[in-house]
Amino acid sequence: MNTLNGRVKLSYFAEGMSKYFDHTIYKFGTAKLTNKHGKYYLNIPVTYDVEESNISDICNVVGIDRGINFVVAT
């Protein structure tokens, strides 16, 4: 990873995530490196197209609170 002080090599955990790095299915945004509680996290926004649901198939509705501490909490 390139930083203001030069390149830094970091270890990472990606077990079970390889199927989500298919560029033909997912569109990736700009990554952001964050430090929380002494650990570094690389956040990569991803866009994935899904087919539209049929309104007759919906039987429950859940509200979503997009708070500061969590990306999405239901």
Side-chain angles (χ1 to χ4, degrees), residues 17-31 44-49:
M17 300 298 290
S18 61
K19 65 181 179 181
Y20 298 109
F21 291 103
D22 185 352
H23 292 279
T24 62
I25 299 173
Y26 302 99
K27 297 175 190 168
F28 297 96
T30 303
I44 306 171
V46 177
T47 301
Y48 175 67
D49 293 327

Side-chain angles (χ1 to χ4, degrees), residues 4-71:
L4 295 175
N5 295 325
R7 187 173 178 170
V8 176
K9 291 185 179 184
L10 304 168
S11 61
Y12 61 93
F13 178 79
E15 184 176 324
M17 300 298 290
S18 61
K19 65 181 179 181
Y20 298 109
F21 291 103
D22 185 352
H23 292 279
T24 62
I25 299 173
Y26 302 99
K27 297 175 190 168
F28 297 96
T30 303
K32 181 178 180 181
L33 182 66
T34 59
N35 182 351
K36 191 169 188 177
H37 305 295
K39 292 185 178 180
Y40 287 92
Y41 298 90
L42 184 63
N43 301 310
I44 306 171
V46 177
T47 301
Y48 175 67
D49 293 327
V50 295
E51 60 186 59
E52 191 171 326
S53 297
N54 188 347
I55 195 73
S56 63
D57 294 336
I58 299 172
C59 58
N60 295 313
V61 177
V62 176
I64 298 175
D65 175 14
R66 295 178 55 142
I68 295 172
N69 294 328
F70 303 99
V71 176

